Amino acid sequence: MTASRPLFKHIRNHTALFSELSQYRNAAVETLGFSGFEFHKTPKFVTEDGSRLTIEPERSIVLPKVKALAGLKNKLTQAISTLHMVEHSEIGYRYPTAALAGLDAPFIKRMRSEYFHKVDEDRSICRPVNLSYGIKSRGKADNRQEYEVWMPEEAPDQNPLPLLINAYGEDLPDDVRHFVEQPSKVHGWMGVKRAAFEALYTNKQHCGDLIICIAMSVDAYNIGAKPDLAYSPEAESSIAVSNAEFEWEIEGYYAPRGWAFDHDGVWAAINHTLEAISEPLDDLYGNEIIPIAESKTERILSTLQSLGVTQQEVDELNLQPWEFMLTESEHRVKAHDPSRSVNLLGRLNRLFYQPEQQLPSLNWMHDLIL
């Protein structure tokens, strides 16, 4: 572990992680010469009819391989003179995502878990903890709605609606609320290694006095070829797709102490910042960008469908996402040998560690994008 990545030490402790991350962010603002500025999280988006939506201001590009993003951070700061990386903000994640709603669903429903090693455990083994449940509007359209809650570790299979109501209250629209109530079905899985970091953006003309905080990440990911991650004759593997994604999302802004909140002004600054990051990417990666209008979760669905996985097969498997948090399944057996139980965790680990399509280490990815 390199000394320049102190946040890696908090990979198992979110409270300490985000507390220290905010300190590095505050220090970066001071270094830029701004004193007396205060951090504010991304505000709710208020529509013309007064509805308050939880909006995810995010963009991304998809590339064939993660190696294409070599030197990304330096290239971005060279291309955007008022973009400044937050020193020591690097952190890495490894996690699986399950698609819980089909192609016809009005929203995307997903489960995501972060992966950790036990102390002194073989690092080719990862174990899921911290299961989260999320709802997003579909596709990669501008500023999608997003609602997410952490499921209690002692009850990962509980109905998430009360948790979402508690978290979002009157900001939880009826169509989202009703969609949450519909039963979830695991359609497929993705394994992700993420190299994440933060940056600050200023632009007096378009952002006024605001300093926009941007969370950036580089993901290397594998999409499973079957819902239960079994071997697929069509793909000749348990993995169907291996790609990479660069993603940038607004996480908040700094404003001078006493600054009067201006909803339209903040959102204009947010949208300008998203486009400012997007602008040089065509020049840098235009020849390699894969034109995909789906989110990563949606790509799970379309990938499995392209390999002939039917809704009937999904229904018959009746997989539950928390099954993949167990080492052994109590009621699933191998098709060719009913005397042997299915090791779901082992299958999930293949998304990360299958020798032919092994995802890179977190430190390797961070070194790559310097």
Side-chain angles (χ1 to χ4, degrees), residues 10-51:
H10 294 314
I11 195 73
R12 300 170 69 93
N13 185 333
H14 279 195
T15 302
L17 167 67
F18 291 113
S19 174
E20 192 164 325
L21 189 55
S22 69
Q23 294 173 33
Y24 288 124
R25 194 191 306 128
N26 289 341
V29 170
E30 291 280 349
T31 300
L32 290 175
F34 297 93
S35 58
F37 275 60
E38 297 179 322
F39 178 78
H40 303 263
K41 67 180 182 179
T42 303
K44 306 286 185 185
F45 183 81
V46 182
T47 64
E48 290 185 1
D49 67 1
S51 298

Side-chain angles (χ1 to χ4, degrees), residues 71-292:
L72 170 70
K73 293 167 77 171
N74 183 57
K75 290 175 180 177
L76 283 175
T77 52
Q78 289 291 320
I80 308 169
S81 61
T82 58
L83 181 70
H84 306 276
M85 297 298 161
V86 175
E87 191 175 3
H88 300 319
S89 66
E90 296 91 349
I91 181 159
Y93 296 97
R94 57 185 71 79
Y95 63 87
T97 293
L100 304 183
L103 284 164
D104 297 331
F107 295 89
I108 282 293
K109 189 183 289 190
R110 76 173 184 200
M111 277 282 189
R112 188 165 70 178
S113 168
E114 288 174 7
Y115 253 65
F116 300 113
H117 298 115
K118 291 183 176 179
V119 176
D120 297 326
E121 184 174 42
D122 174 4
R123 295 186 68 83
S124 67
I125 298 172
C126 280
R127 301 184 184 278
V129 297
N130 296 341
L131 202 66
S132 73
Y133 176 95
I135 299 283
K136 283 190 180 185
S137 47
R138 296 186 70 93
K140 295 177 78 170
D142 292 355
N143 301 347
R144 294 177 296 154
Q145 292 181 71
E146 179 182 35
Y147 304 88
E148 188 169 21
V149 290
W150 292 103
M151 305 298 287
E153 290 188 28
E154 69 280 2
D157 56 344
Q158 79 167 70
N159 177 0
L161 183 58
L163 298 173
L164 284 159
I165 292 173
N166 184 57
Y168 297 102
E170 71 277 10
D171 301 317
L172 191 64
D174 283 346
D175 53 354
V176 172
R177 179 191 295 247
H178 298 155
F179 182 59
V180 174
E181 293 175 317
Q182 301 304 310
S184 298
K185 292 182 179 178
V186 174
H187 287 74
W189 292 85
M190 171 186 290
V192 183
K193 293 274 189 83
R194 167 169 289 179
F197 55 98
E198 293 195 350
L200 302 172
Y201 176 79
T202 58
N203 185 306
K204 193 70 175 176
Q205 179 183 353
H206 294 282
C207 304
D209 292 330
L210 303 183
I211 306 168
I212 309 299
C213 305
I214 312 159
M216 300 189 183
S217 63
V218 168
D219 292 353
Y221 61 85
N222 290 332
I223 298 175
K226 283 180 171 285
D228 64 349
L229 300 175
Y231 180 86
S232 166
E234 294 84 1
E236 297 184 338
S237 171
S238 58
I239 294 172
V241 172
S242 297
N243 283 156
E245 181 183 56
F246 169 53
E247 181 177 288
W248 60 105
E249 178 180 359
I250 308 301
E251 57 183 349
Y253 62 94
Y254 283 84
R257 189 181 300 273
W259 180 79
F261 175 71
D262 174 1
H263 173 275
D264 292 350
V266 169
W267 278 97
I270 285 172
N271 289 321
H272 163 77
T273 303
L274 291 170
E275 297 310 315
I277 304 300
S278 176
E279 210 167 85
L281 295 178
D282 274 340
D283 294 332
L284 291 170
Y285 304 109
N287 294 331
E288 298 175 273
I289 293 174
I290 302 174
I292 291 175

